[in-house]
Amino acid sequence: MKTLVCVLACMCVSSYSLPPDKMHAFHIIKTRSIDLNNAHGLVMETRLEKTVEPTGYRLELEPYLEDAVFKGHVSINVTWLENTDEVSLHCAHEIEITESEVKAYMPSDSKELLKIPIKKMSTDPKKPILTLRLEKTVPKSSVGFLNFSFKGNMQTSSTEAFFKTTYVTEESDRIVAATQFRPNNARRMFPCFDEPAYKTPFELSVVRPRSMVALSNTAVARTEDINGEPNAVWDHFERTPPMSTFTLGLVIADLKQLGESTLYKDDNGNNIELRVWGRPEYLQALEGVNEKLAQVFAEVANFWQVPLPLTKLDIVALPNYQGNKPADNWGLIVFKESDVSSRGLLQLAAELSYEWLGALATPAWWSDAHINKALVGYLAAEIAFKINNGLEMEGKWPMTVLYSLYYEFSKRYPHSRITGMKQETACTKIELLFRMFNYTIGGDTFKKGVWLLMEARKFKTFTGDDIWNALNAAAENFHKKPTYIDVKTVAKSWIEKDRLPLITVNRNYETNSAMVTQKVYLRERPHDVPDAAKMLWWVPLVVARSDNFDFTNTTPADWMKNQRELKLVNMPDNDHFIIVNPEEIAPFPVNYDKDNWNLISAYLQSENRTNIPELTRAKLLHDAWNLAYAGQLSFATAFNMTLFLKHEQHHLVWDPVFTMIDHVGRHICCGIYDKFHAYVRILLTPLYKELIKDVRENEENWHKNLRSASRRFLCRAGYAPCVREAQEQFAVWLNAPNPDEGNPISNQYLCPVFQWGTQKEWDFGLQRVINFPPSRKQSERTYLLKTLAGCPIDEIKIQKLLNITILEGNGNFTETDLFLIFSMLTGSSQGYTALFHFLNNNWDTLKEKFASKTNTWDNLITSATSEFKTQAGLELVSNLYVAHQGEFGSAEHIIEKSMRNIREEAKWSAENLPVIEKWLDNYLNNADDKDDQYIRKFQ
C-alpha cells in the first residue's frame, strides 16, 4: 500500500492537448480568504455528490501571457466513497476540456491501473458542474485518477480567477498574471473539487518567461529549460500541505525581492522564510515593510502557538491589482501596492491570521465564512493594539464599529434590507461577541479555547459550532464561567437576531439592590417592530462601582439567562453610582434611574473623572444621548452628562459628541436654534482654544481630526473668529483677477462664508458654479454647489438658488444638480422649510415643468415634505396635501408616507423640545463662560 501511495503522489502524465487556436509556438510570446460579499449566495450553492473525494492534484499550466490564454493538464488523485458510475466535479462553462480520462485501481486487484471508459461527459447548463458518466461502476474504496487537458481565457476585465493585467513603466507596458481564487474561482482555471472541505496537496508546474518571476504557495523545487524555447522555463513548485482549492495561488510578473529574506524560527516549530516582492520601480515605497512583516508575523505566530507547515511566505505588492481584498493564498498573499506600502498593521495582521484560520483550518462551508472573518478581525485588532496601541485606528476600535452597529440595529428596518450590508453588520456583531467572551471568560482562557480549535481542526475544516464549543471547553477546564452558561447558547442568542438589547438598571437605594430589565433597543420611531416583545438575550452583567473602582475585573456579577428581568444584590449605598457594561464589554447600551445618572454626572465633573477610563466615559455619553433621542431618557439628563466636557481633552470621549450635536441639531426648530448654537459654542470653545495652541507638523492624526471637527462645528454654530478667518481667506478668491481658473482657498472656508457671510460672497460662489470651466475637475464644482445649497440658513439665498436653477431654467444646471440641491436642503430645518415654501408658492409651474420627469418630481416632493419634525410642520404638509389632493401623481404615496413619519416626529418634538429649551435657558443663564464670540445676525 505504501508503494501505491508513492505511485499516486508522483505519477507524471505525459499526454498534452494541442495549443489553443490563438496560441503561438513559443511560451514567451515574441509578438507581445473568503469574500464576505459573496458568502450569502454561496451558502445556497449546490454541493457536489460525495461519491468520490480528491486526495491530490498534479497541475501543469502553460499561460500565453500576451494573448491572455492558457492551456493545462490536471491529474487528480481520487478515492471512491461509493459504488458509482458517475463522477461530478466543478468546471466553469468557459473552460474547454480537450481530453479526459479516468483510471482506477480496483480493490479486488490493486496492482493493475485500469482505464475506465467514459460513456458521456456533460456540463450542467445552469451550474459549473462537469459530470462524467462511466461505462462501468467503480467499486467503493477504489483509488485512481481523473485526468483532464483543458484550455481557457485569462480574465482581463477583473482581477479574479486567473487574470492578466498590465501597467506602464518608462520603458514599456508590463504584463502581470496572477490568481484570486476566493471564494470559488479555481473552477474557472481548471477542473477541480472546488469546495472548502476538499483539502489536498497540490503539485504545481507552470511555464513562465525567463525574465519574469513565478511565485506560488511553496518554493520552487527546480527550474527546467524548454527545448526550442530559450526564453521560457518550467518552474516546478514543492508539494503543498493539504489545502482547499481557493488557497491555491500563482503570480507571474516582473518582480524583485525587497532586501533580504527574514528567517523566522520559534519554539512552537515555525521555521519559515518571509519575503516581500514588488516591481523594481516601487521598491523604494516599500521600505520598512520587511521589518513590519517580521514584527506582525511574530505576534500572530505567538498567538496561535501552532506552526505553519510552510517553508516560506511571500508578500506581494502587485501592480494594478484591483481586488476588494488581498488574495490570501497559503504562503502567498497578494496585496494592492498601496496596501503594502501603508504604515498600518491591521490589514497585514488579518491576512497573516488567515494563514492559520482559513488555510490551515478552513471553514467547512460558506455559511461559516462570517464567523471566520469575525474571529480573524478581532484577533487582528488585538494584535494591532498590542504592537502600537491601535495607532492607525486612533484607538477607536471597537467604538467606531460599535456605534455603527447600535445605529443600524436600532432602525425599524436594519440594513435597509440590503443583503450585502446585512452580511457586514452580522460579521461585525460576531467580532464584538468574541471581544465579549475574551472579557467574560478571560483573555488567557480565550486563547486556550482558540488553541483547542486549531489543534483539533488543523488540516481539516471547522464550523461555527466548533469555535463556540472550543471556547466553552476552555472556560469549563479553567472554571471561568458558571456551569449554567454555555458559550454556544449565549452566542446564538446574539447572532440569530438583527437587533441588540437595551439594558435598564433601576436601583433600590433602601435595599442596596437593582432591578435589571432587557428589551429591544429601538432608536428610530415608531417602535412597533414585529416580535420585539419576544426577543431576549443572554447578557453578561459586568458592574463597576464607585465605592470600589476596579475596571480590570470583567467577571460578570451575573448573567441575564434569556430572561426579562434580574435582581442584582449587594449594590453600593445611595452616595455611590454603578456602571453596567463598562468599556463596552458587550454590545448593548445601558439606561439607569435618574439618581444614578446624576451621581455619574457629578463624578465626571469632579477632578476624579479620569478614574473612569476614556472608553467608558465615551460610552456613558453615547448611551445617554442616544437613549434620550430614542425617548428612553430625559434630554435634561442627557445634556447634564455633557457638562464635564469643558475639562475633557481625550479624543475618544469627544468622538460621539459631534455625531450627537449633528443628530439633535437636525431636530431643533427655529425657536431654539440660536440657544442650541450658543450651547455648542460654549461647549466647544475651550477645547478648540486648547487644540490650536499645539499645532505641530508631525502631530497625531487624532489631534488633527479633533481640532478639525471642533472647528467645523464651531463654524456651523456661528463662532465669530472662525467666520472672520473664513471671510478673510474667501476675499483672496473674491479679488482674484481670474476667479474661474481655480479655487485658491481651502474648502473648509466655503461653508462658514456661505452660511454666515454676505449676500455678495454667496452670489460670487454661485457665479463660479455657473461659469465653471469644463477643463477643471467636476468634483470641485460639485463640492461648491453642495455648500452653496446646504450651508445657508437664510431663506433669501436658498430661494435665489431655486429660482435660478428651476424657474429660470439656467442651462448650466443639470437634473443631477437638482437632485444634489434637494438633498443638501434636507440637512437643516431652514433648508427644507425654504424648499417647501418654494414648492407651495410655485405649485402649478413646477407641476407642469416636471410633468414628464417623475424622478425629479418625486425627489422634490420627498425633500420638501419628509423632514419636518413638529406639529406646525405637519400642518404645513397636510395643508399642501389637502390643497392639491389627486395632483401628486407618482408622488402621492411619498407625501402620505411623509405625513405618517412627521406625526411620529411631532410627538417626539412635543415631548422633548420643551425639555431641551428649558435646559438650554437654564444653562445659558448660569454658564460661567461668556458667549461673546459669535455672529449675531446675517451680514
Side-chain angles (χ1 to χ4, degrees):
M1 187 63 191
K2 185 176 181 181
T3 305
L4 175 61
V5 172
C6 184
V7 169
L8 291 174
C10 302
M11 179 177 179
C12 184
V13 181
S14 58
S15 61
Y16 292 92
S17 65
L18 294 173
D21 296 340
K22 292 180 63 179
M23 292 186 179
H24 296 271
F26 291 139
H27 294 102
I28 180 69
I29 307 301
K30 285 186 174 181
T31 60
R32 49 195 187 217
S33 93
I34 300 178
D35 187 355
L36 193 61
N37 292 328
N38 295 320
H40 180 72
L42 291 167
V43 169
M44 308 306 295
E45 183 175 282
T46 303
R47 300 196 190 199
L48 293 173
E49 294 291 334
K50 301 288 185 182
T51 55
V52 299
E53 67 176 0
T55 57
Y57 289 84
R58 177 75 182 92
L59 176 61
E60 296 163 335
L61 193 66
E62 302 179 62
Y64 295 78
L65 300 183
E66 193 163 298
D67 287 329
V69 293
F70 61 89
K71 70 174 183 177
H73 183 91
V74 64
S75 180
I76 311 173
N77 301 355
V78 293
T79 298
W80 271 260
L81 304 178
E82 303 287 347
N83 300 332
T84 184
D85 61 354
E86 285 190 1
V87 176
S88 293
L89 69 163
H90 292 107
C91 185
H93 295 115
E94 59 263 31
I95 297 299
E96 181 183 348
I97 304 297
T98 55
E99 292 183 10
S100 57
E101 180 182 60
V102 178
K103 292 184 176 182
Y105 292 93
M106 301 297 186
S108 58
D109 184 8
S110 60
K111 295 180 181 179
E112 185 179 359
L113 183 63
L114 301 177
K115 182 174 181 179
I116 313 298
I118 299 173
K119 183 191 303 184
K120 183 181 179 182
M121 182 172 69
S122 60
T123 301
D124 189 313
K126 295 182 179 180
K127 304 170 187 174
I129 295 178
L130 176 70
T131 299
L132 305 177
R133 291 174 174 81
L134 309 178
E135 294 281 1
K136 58 188 293 187
T137 297
V138 179
K140 179 180 179 180
S141 302
S142 299
V143 294
F145 305 92
L146 308 178
N147 295 325
F148 299 97
S149 295
F150 55 89
K151 59 184 178 180
N153 297 312
M154 301 169 71
Q155 303 301 309
T156 55
S157 60
S158 68
T159 51
E160 61 182 25
F162 186 28
F163 65 87
K164 168 195 169 179
T165 184
T166 59
Y167 64 98
V168 179
T169 69
E170 292 181 357
E171 301 171 357
S172 62
D173 291 355
R174 300 287 176 86
I175 294 175
V176 171
T179 59
Q180 163 57 301
F181 286 158
R182 280 185 182 268
N184 60 350
N185 286 320
R187 65 190 68 174
R188 296 170 66 185
M189 190 177 85
F190 64 101
C192 57
F193 293 81
D194 200 14
E195 292 179 6
Y198 293 118
K199 303 188 73 169
T200 65
F202 280 79
E203 292 180 53
L204 174 65
S205 296
V206 63
V207 172
R208 66 163 169 89
R210 191 181 294 272
S211 62
M212 297 174 116
V213 171
L215 301 172
S216 188
N217 307 82
T218 54
V220 174
R222 72 182 193 281
T223 298
E224 183 178 287
D225 292 334
I226 302 175
N227 291 334
E229 296 190 31
N231 295 320
V233 296
W234 276 101
D235 273 345
H236 303 284
F237 293 91
E238 295 175 353
R239 193 168 187 245
T240 73
M243 64 183 196
S244 304
T245 46
F246 69 80
T247 61
L248 178 67
L250 174 66
V251 171
I252 304 172
D254 290 303
L255 299 175
K256 185 176 179 182
Q257 187 178 346
L258 174 67
E260 298 295 323
S261 303
T262 300
L263 185 61
Y264 178 83
K265 289 185 177 182
D266 61 25
D267 295 338
N268 297 318
N270 282 298
N271 186 359
I272 189 167
E273 183 183 4
L274 307 177
R275 307 186 298 190
V276 178
W277 300 82
R279 55 188 168 96
E281 306 88 349
Y282 199 71
L283 289 183
Q284 186 175 355
L286 299 178
E287 286 299 322
V289 174
N290 278 326
E291 292 76 14
K292 181 172 73 170
L293 172 61
Q295 183 181 32
V296 177
F297 187 89
E299 290 293 342
V300 175
N302 181 59
F303 173 85
W304 285 106
Q305 299 284 302
V306 174
L308 276 183
L310 302 172
T311 59
K312 67 87 187 172
L313 173 63
D314 290 319
I315 300 295
V316 179
L318 196 67
N320 207 26
Y321 174 61
Q322 301 298 323
N324 291 327
K325 65 184 297 294
D328 44 8
N329 317 296
W330 210 6
L332 174 68
I333 308 177
V334 178
F335 289 87
K336 293 178 181 178
E337 288 184 331
S338 57
D339 286 346
V340 182
S341 58
S342 68
R343 292 186 296 174
L345 303 176
L346 189 65
Q347 188 178 46
L348 181 58
E351 294 306 319
L352 292 179
S353 293
Y354 275 123
E355 295 293 290
W356 278 266
L357 195 72
L360 182 55
T362 305
W365 193 245
W366 311 115
S367 53
D368 300 301
H370 302 93
I371 196 167
N372 183 74
K373 181 180 178 182
L375 182 52
V376 165
Y378 170 66
L379 297 177
E382 287 289 299
I383 287 166
F385 266 91
K386 185 175 181 181
I387 293 175
N388 66 6
N389 201 34
L391 185 63
E392 69 193 278
M393 298 172 279
E394 299 179 9
K396 291 181 180 180
W397 190 89
M399 307 305 281
T400 303
V401 295
L402 184 60
Y403 293 160
S404 298
L405 210 64
Y406 282 158
Y407 178 74
E408 195 61 45
F409 285 141
S410 66
K411 293 179 178 178
R412 295 199 76 215
Y413 303 109
H415 340 100
S416 302
R417 299 175 176 174
I418 299 171
T419 299
M421 188 182 294
K422 182 175 182 178
Q423 307 310 313
E424 288 297 328
T425 52
C427 183
T428 300
K429 181 164 59 172
I430 298 171
E431 186 175 331
L432 294 170
L433 287 184
F434 284 123
R435 182 175 181 269
M436 178 182 86
F437 285 121
N438 186 70
Y439 274 111
T440 55
I441 67 174
D444 289 341
T445 306
F446 185 87
K447 283 183 183 178
K448 289 181 173 71
V450 178
W451 296 341
L452 285 175
L453 171 77
M454 187 57 65
E455 280 293 347
R457 307 311 301 172
K458 61 185 178 183
F459 298 114
K460 301 176 185 177
T461 60
F462 64 87
T463 65
D465 286 353
D466 290 327
I467 296 180
W468 304 126
N469 291 337
L471 292 176
N472 195 68
E476 284 181 350
N477 292 342
F478 294 95
H479 309 291
K480 291 295 184 179
K481 69 175 185 65
T483 55
Y484 59 79
I485 292 296
D486 175 72
V487 170
K488 175 182 170 182
T489 302
V490 173
K492 286 190 176 298
S493 78
W494 293 82
I495 294 172
E496 291 173 352
K497 305 178 187 71
D498 287 341
R499 298 290 177 188
L500 293 173
L502 164 62
I503 300 301
T504 300
V505 181
N506 283 300
R507 296 177 60 189
N508 186 324
Y509 296 91
E510 294 181 0
T511 61
N512 289 359
S513 63
M515 185 58 68
V516 184
T517 59
Q518 64 163 301
K519 65 178 181 180
V520 176
Y521 172 51
L522 295 169
R523 186 173 178 274
E524 187 177 277
R525 293 166 296 278
H527 291 171
D528 56 340
V529 300
D531 299 324
K534 300 177 183 178
M535 293 186 191
L536 293 169
W537 291 257
W538 285 71
V539 181
L541 299 176
V542 179
V543 181
R545 42 197 292 165
S546 61
D547 61 343
N548 183 23
F549 268 127
D550 183 5
F551 284 88
T552 63
N553 181 10
T554 57
T555 302
D558 208 339
W559 285 79
M560 298 195 80
K561 300 175 282 292
N562 211 39
Q563 59 199 110
R564 184 70 59 193
E565 62 181 26
L566 174 72
K567 187 177 183 179
L568 290 176
V569 296
N570 299 320
M571 293 291 101
D573 60 32
N574 58 6
D575 292 329
H576 294 93
F577 60 84
I578 63 172
I579 299 173
V580 173
N581 199 33
E583 301 295 274
E584 295 283 17
I585 286 170
F588 60 83
V590 184
N591 199 0
Y592 304 96
D593 57 87
K594 182 179 178 181
D595 290 339
N596 196 71
W597 276 118
N598 289 341
L599 287 169
I600 294 173
S601 176
Y603 189 86
L604 286 171
Q605 293 174 66
S606 75
E607 295 180 355
N608 298 320
R609 65 185 166 278
T610 53
N611 288 335
I612 301 176
E614 56 270 10
L615 216 58
T616 302
R617 301 203 298 276
K619 173 187 173 52
L620 292 166
L621 268 175
H622 181 270
D623 286 1
W625 279 60
N626 276 280
L627 290 168
Y629 186 87
Q632 302 292 335
L633 181 68
S634 168
F635 260 105
T637 301
F639 273 97
N640 283 338
M641 287 296 294
T642 68
L643 294 175
F644 77 95
L645 288 170
K646 65 186 296 184
H647 304 295
E648 182 62 62
Q649 296 291 316
H650 203 286
H651 68 286
L652 284 184
V653 185
W654 277 99
D655 194 49
V657 176
F658 298 109
T659 304
M660 291 302 103
I661 289 174
D662 184 57
H663 282 181
V664 175
R666 290 172 183 266
H667 285 73
I668 298 296
C669 60
C670 298
I672 55 175
Y673 200 77
D674 290 342
K675 297 174 184 178
F676 185 69
H677 271 170
Y679 159 75
V680 172
R681 290 191 296 268
I682 294 173
L683 183 71
L684 294 179
T685 299
L687 173 69
Y688 182 64
K689 286 182 176 178
E690 203 58 41
L691 290 169
I692 60 177
K693 289 179 183 176
D694 184 23
V695 180
R696 292 170 282 114
E697 188 174 338
N698 60 342
E699 65 185 346
E700 300 90 339
N701 277 336
W702 69 261
H703 201 271
K704 294 179 186 175
N705 294 338
L706 184 57
R707 182 171 57 246
S708 175
S710 58
R711 181 189 181 282
R712 185 169 66 254
F713 277 82
L714 275 171
C715 289
R716 189 188 298 179
Y719 182 59
C722 171
V723 178
R724 283 196 296 268
E725 180 190 6
Q727 288 182 300
E728 289 169 4
Q729 293 294 323
F730 195 82
V732 175
W733 194 11
L734 198 64
N735 298 318
N738 297 301
D740 293 320
E741 289 183 354
N743 177 2
I745 65 170
S746 172
N747 282 340
Q748 66 177 312
Y749 299 116
L750 296 179
C751 199
V753 171
F754 295 154
Q755 181 177 357
W756 299 104
T758 64
Q759 185 69 39
K760 176 183 176 183
E761 290 166 325
W762 186 88
D763 287 341
F764 174 85
L766 179 61
Q767 285 304 312
R768 302 291 69 76
V769 172
I770 293 173
N771 300 335
F772 198 87
S775 58
R776 286 176 57 193
K777 291 181 180 178
Q778 289 303 299
S779 59
E780 295 179 20
R781 178 185 180 275
T782 299
Y783 186 82
L784 187 57
L785 182 56
K786 284 173 67 175
T787 52
L788 278 165
C791 295
I793 54 177
D794 56 327
E795 192 161 335
I796 295 175
K797 295 173 183 175
I798 297 170
Q799 291 292 349
K800 183 171 183 178
L801 179 62
L802 294 171
N803 287 337
I804 289 174
T805 56
I806 299 177
L807 295 185
E808 296 176 14
N810 189 297
N812 293 284
F813 295 92
T814 66
E815 188 174 23
T816 301
D817 290 336
L818 296 184
F819 288 168
L820 178 64
I821 291 169
F822 296 160
S823 174
M824 295 308 298
L825 290 177
T826 62
S828 69
S829 61
Q830 294 89 343
Y832 58 74
T833 302
L835 183 59
F836 175 86
H837 290 319
F838 175 78
L839 170 66
N840 191 39
N841 295 336
N842 299 282
W843 176 269
D844 293 335
T845 302
L846 295 174
K847 187 76 175 67
E848 182 180 354
K849 191 175 188 66
F850 298 131
S852 61
K853 297 179 179 179
T854 55
N855 284 343
T856 308
W857 174 250
D858 290 354
N859 199 286
L860 171 60
I861 299 300
T862 300
S863 301
T865 65
S866 64
E867 296 297 324
F868 287 96
K869 315 292 183 188
T870 64
Q871 184 64 33
L874 177 61
E875 290 173 5
L876 284 176
V877 176
S878 298
N879 290 338
L880 178 74
Y881 179 70
V882 170
H884 299 287
Q885 195 163 12
E887 300 177 27
F888 286 88
S890 59
E892 189 83 26
H893 71 287
I894 293 175
I895 191 167
E896 290 172 353
K897 181 181 178 182
S898 292
M899 288 189 293
R900 288 195 300 271
N901 291 340
I902 297 170
R903 285 190 187 96
E904 291 295 330
E905 294 297 333
K907 293 177 189 175
W908 184 95
S909 296
E911 293 172 4
N912 292 288
L913 291 185
V915 175
I916 293 174
E917 183 170 22
K918 182 179 179 181
W919 189 93
L920 289 173
D921 286 338
N922 184 62
Y923 174 78
L924 296 175
N925 289 334
N926 297 289
D928 295 331
D929 301 309
K930 299 298 181 183
D931 180 35
D932 53 5
Q933 292 289 328
Y934 68 97
I935 302 297
R936 295 175 181 272
K937 59 182 180 180
F938 301 120
Q939 301 175 29

